[in-house]
C-alpha cells in the first residue's frame, strides 16, 4: 500500500517527514558572497534613490548541467537592471564551484553563492523534488543572518522576467501574486481577481492544492514570513508551493494581486531543453597554446558543457572553405 506523505515544517533546523520517515537537510555551505553593488547602470533609478527601496532577495535554484552557465548569464543580464537586489544562487552540488564564483562576481550584482545538495535518498526516485534543497538553504541563510526586511522571490534560472515585475513586488506587504505564462495545458497559472480581491485560481492541475500556483507566481514580505519561523517547503514534487504558503498561514485576504489585477503576464515559464553532456574526441596534443582550442575546451569543461577526450565522443574536425580536414592538417 502506498503511504501518504506527511509533512511537518520543522523546528528551524530543517526537519521534515517524508513517507513517515524523518530526515534532515544536507548542510549548505556559503561559497562566495558580495554585498557591494558594482553596477554602472540600473534600470531608471538614480543611485541616490536606491536607499528608499526595499531589497528583493531573488533566490535561484540551479544545478550542474550543460545549460547552467548560459541560463545564469541570461538571467544576470535581466537582474543587472534591477536596483536593490540580492541574488541568492543555490547550487545543487556538494562543493563550491569556482567557475560560478568567478561568473557571479563578474556581473557586479550583490550575491550569495550557496551549495545546496539534494539529499541522496531523493536522487534515485522517479519524480525528483528539484529545487527544494536549494530554496530551503536560501531560507536558512536568511534566518541565520536575521534578515527580516525586504521581499523574498523564488526565480528559476530558466524563466523570463519583465522588469516591471520587480517594481510590482517590491512593496509586497504580505504575499503578492500574479499570473505566470506557459504553464501546463492552459498556458497560464494565476489568481482569479474580482473587485480587486483574489477569489480563486486558474490552474490546469489542482490536485487538492489549497494554493495551486507556480513557484514564480508569488513574492513574500520577509517581515511577515519571520512571524512563522518554521516556514518551509516539503520534498514533495508538485506541492512545494502549496505547503510553503500553508506554512506561513496564508489566507485569501492577505493576497495582493499584481500585474494590473492579474491581467498582465510579467513572468514566463520558458524552459530550455537539457542535453546530455558528451565528450569530443580530440588528441590532447592539439590542446596546447598553438591555437585557441586548449583554452576553449578548458572553459567548456569548467562550465559543464563538454569535455575533450582522446578516446571517446565524436571526432573533432576543422573545416575551411567548405572542406573538412583532421586537426593535424591545420595545427601540426
Amino acid at each position: 500500500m502506498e503511504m501518504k506523505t506527511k509533512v511537518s515544517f520543522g523546528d528551524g533546523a530543517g526537519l521534515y517527514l517524508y513517507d513517515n520517515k524523518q530526515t534532515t537537510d544536507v548542510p549548505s555551505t556559503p561559497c562566495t558572497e558580495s554585498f557591494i553593488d558594482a553596477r554602472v547602470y540600473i534600470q531608471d533609478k538614480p543611485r541616490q534613490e536606491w536607499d528608499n527601496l526595499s531589497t528583493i532577495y531573488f533566490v535561484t535554484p540551479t544545478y550542474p548541467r550543460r545549460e547552467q552557465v548560459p541560463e545564469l548569464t541570461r538571467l544576470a543580464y535581466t537582474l543587472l537592471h534591477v536596483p536593490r537586489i540580492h541574488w541568492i544562487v543555490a547550487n545543487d552540488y556538494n562543493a563550491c564551484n569556482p567557475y560560478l564564483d568567478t561568473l557571479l562576481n563578474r556581473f557586479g550584482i550583490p550575491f550569495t553563492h550557496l551549495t545546496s545538495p539534494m539529499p541522496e535518498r531523493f536522487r534515485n526516485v522517479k519524480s525528483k523534488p528539484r529545487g527544494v534543497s536549494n530554496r530551503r538553504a536560501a531560507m536558512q541563510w536568511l534566518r541565520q543572518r536575521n534578515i527580516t526586511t525586504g521581499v523574498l522571490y523564488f526565480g528559476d534560472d530558466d524563466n523570463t522576467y519583465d522588469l516591471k515585475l520587480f517594481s510590482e513586488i517590491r512593496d509586497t506587504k504580505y504575499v503578492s501574486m500574479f499570473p505566470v505564462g506557459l504553464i501546463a495545458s492552459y498556458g497560464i497559472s494565476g489568481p482569479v481577481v474580482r473587485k480587486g480581491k483574489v477569489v480563486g485560481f486558474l490552474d490546469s492541475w489542482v490536485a487538492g492544492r489549497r494554493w495551486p500556483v507556480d513557484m514564480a507566481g508569488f513574492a513574500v514580505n520577509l517581515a511577515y514570513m519571520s512571524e512563522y519561523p518554521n516556514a518551509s517547503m516539503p520534498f514533495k514534487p508538485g506541492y512545494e508551493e502549496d505547503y510553503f504558503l500553508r506554512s506561513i498561514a496564508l489566507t485569501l485576504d492577505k493576497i495582493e494581486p499584481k500585474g494590473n489585477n492579474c491581467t498582465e503576464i510579467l513572468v514566463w515559464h520558458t524552459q530550455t531543453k537539457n542535453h546530455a553532456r558528451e565528450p569530443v574526441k580530440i588528441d590532447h596534443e592539439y590542446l596546447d597554446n598553438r591555437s585557441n582550442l586548449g583554452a576553449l575546451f578548458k572553459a567548456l569543461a569548467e562550465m559543464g558543457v563538454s569535455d575533450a577526450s582522446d578516446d571517446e565522443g565524436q571526432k573533432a574536425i576543422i573545416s575551411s572553405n567548405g572542406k573538412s580536414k583532421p586537426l593535424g592538417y591545420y595545427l601540426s
Side-chain angles (χ1 to χ4, degrees), residues 135-257:
R135 299 182 188 101
R136 289 168 68 108
M139 287 189 281
Q140 182 184 34
W141 181 88
L142 290 165
R143 288 194 188 102
Q144 288 173 341
R145 285 151 184 78
N146 196 30
I147 296 174
T148 58
T149 60
V151 175
L152 171 65
Y153 181 73
F154 299 114
D156 289 352
D157 56 7
D158 58 354
N159 285 347
T160 301
Y161 305 92
D162 189 313
L163 289 177
K164 185 179 178 182
L165 173 72
F166 301 94
S167 301
E168 294 265 324
I169 66 174
R170 200 180 293 276
D171 63 354
T172 299
K173 295 179 177 61
Y174 297 101
V175 176
S176 57
M177 287 192 178
F178 30 89
V180 180
L182 298 179
I183 298 293
S185 60
Y186 289 173
I188 189 72
S189 173
V192 176
V193 179
R194 186 165 185 251
K195 297 181 179 179
K197 299 290 185 181
V198 174
V199 296
F201 300 91
L202 179 68
D203 190 283
S204 60
W205 187 72
V206 178
R209 293 183 295 163
R210 185 184 304 171
W211 307 111
V213 296
D214 184 75
M215 193 67 71
F218 63 89
V220 182
N221 181 286
L222 285 171
Y224 170 64
M225 195 175 86
S226 69
E227 298 175 14
Y228 303 91
N230 296 330
S232 189
M233 191 174 292
F235 287 86
K236 186 179 180 183
Y239 291 84
E240 297 95 332
E241 301 93 337
D242 185 34
Y243 277 90
F244 170 73
L245 294 172
R246 292 191 195 198
S247 76
I248 57 174
L250 182 64
T251 54
L252 279 173
D253 61 302
K254 290 177 181 173
I255 300 176
E256 306 148 56

Side-chain angles (χ1 to χ4, degrees), residues 123-135:
R123 292 199 178 275
N124 295 321
V125 299
K126 184 176 180 181
S127 183
K128 294 179 177 61
R130 296 191 185 279
V132 177
S133 62
N134 315 60
R135 299 182 188 101

Side-chain angles (χ1 to χ4, degrees), residues 31 50-51 57 85 106 111 120 147 159 175 231 257 279 283:
C31 298
W50 297 353
D51 291 339
Y57 291 90
I85 194 164
R106 180 160 60 88
F111 76 94
E120 281 299 322
I147 296 174
N159 285 347
V175 176
D283 292 337

Side-chain angles (χ1 to χ4, degrees), residues 48-332:
Q48 60 267 26
E49 293 184 15
W50 297 353
D51 291 339
N52 299 324
L53 301 174
S54 58
T55 300
I56 295 172
Y57 291 90
F58 191 96
V59 176
T60 298
T62 188
Y63 64 98
R65 63 197 190 281
R66 290 183 72 182
E67 294 78 14
Q68 183 179 39
V69 170
E71 297 278 29
L72 290 173
T73 300
R74 180 173 58 185
L75 176 54
Y77 279 98
T78 295
L79 301 184
L80 274 170
H81 300 288
V82 183
R84 293 284 283 180
I85 194 164
H86 190 94
W87 193 14
I88 304 176
V89 179
N91 192 25
D92 184 356
Y93 194 60
N94 57 11
C96 293
N97 182 335
Y99 192 91
L100 289 189
D101 284 341
T102 302
L103 179 74
L104 296 171
N105 264 305
R106 180 160 60 88
F107 297 116
I109 303 168
F111 76 94
T112 295
H113 172 203
L114 300 171
T115 63
S116 53
M118 182 189 301
E120 281 299 322
R121 64 180 303 226
F122 297 114
R123 292 199 178 275
N124 295 321
V125 299
K126 184 176 180 181
S127 183
K128 294 179 177 61
R130 296 191 185 279
V132 177
S133 62
N134 315 60
R135 299 182 188 101
R136 289 168 68 108
M139 287 189 281
Q140 182 184 34
W141 181 88
L142 290 165
R143 288 194 188 102
Q144 288 173 341
R145 285 151 184 78
N146 196 30
I147 296 174
T148 58
T149 60
V151 175
L152 171 65
Y153 181 73
F154 299 114
D156 289 352
D157 56 7
D158 58 354
N159 285 347
T160 301
Y161 305 92
D162 189 313
L163 289 177
K164 185 179 178 182
L165 173 72
F166 301 94
S167 301
E168 294 265 324
I169 66 174
R170 200 180 293 276
D171 63 354
T172 299
K173 295 179 177 61
Y174 297 101
V175 176
S176 57
M177 287 192 178
F178 30 89
V180 180
L182 298 179
I183 298 293
S185 60
Y186 289 173
I188 189 72
S189 173
V192 176
V193 179
R194 186 165 185 251
K195 297 181 179 179
K197 299 290 185 181
V198 174
V199 296
F201 300 91
L202 179 68
D203 190 283
S204 60
W205 187 72
V206 178
R209 293 183 295 163
R210 185 184 304 171
W211 307 111
V213 296
D214 184 75
M215 193 67 71
F218 63 89
V220 182
N221 181 286
L222 285 171
Y224 170 64
M225 195 175 86
S226 69
E227 298 175 14
Y228 303 91
N230 296 330
S232 189
M233 191 174 292
F235 287 86
K236 186 179 180 183
Y239 291 84
E240 297 95 332
E241 301 93 337
D242 185 34
Y243 277 90
F244 170 73
L245 294 172
R246 292 191 195 198
S247 76
I248 57 174
L250 182 64
T251 54
L252 279 173
D253 61 302
K254 290 177 181 173
I255 300 176
E256 306 148 56
K258 300 292 185 179
N260 193 19
N261 272 331
C262 294
T263 60
E264 300 174 347
I265 300 175
L266 303 178
V267 54
W268 300 84
H269 190 52
T270 46
Q271 295 177 296
T272 301
K273 185 176 180 181
N274 293 343
H275 299 271
R277 178 172 174 170
E278 298 179 2
V280 177
K281 189 176 181 180
I282 180 172
D283 292 337
H284 274 76
E285 64 175 295
Y286 296 120
L287 299 181
D288 55 15
N289 59 7
R290 77 184 80 181
S291 74
N292 66 311
L293 295 181
L296 180 62
F297 274 94
K298 182 176 183 291
L300 289 170
E302 290 175 342
M303 289 186 285
V305 175
S306 66
D307 298 290
S309 171
D310 287 310
D311 308 308
E312 300 179 70
Q314 183 174 340
K315 188 175 181 179
I317 56 174
I318 297 177
S319 67
S320 178
N321 210 21
K323 296 182 180 180
S324 300
K325 300 283 187 181
L327 271 68
Y329 182 86
Y330 295 97
L331 301 180
S332 294

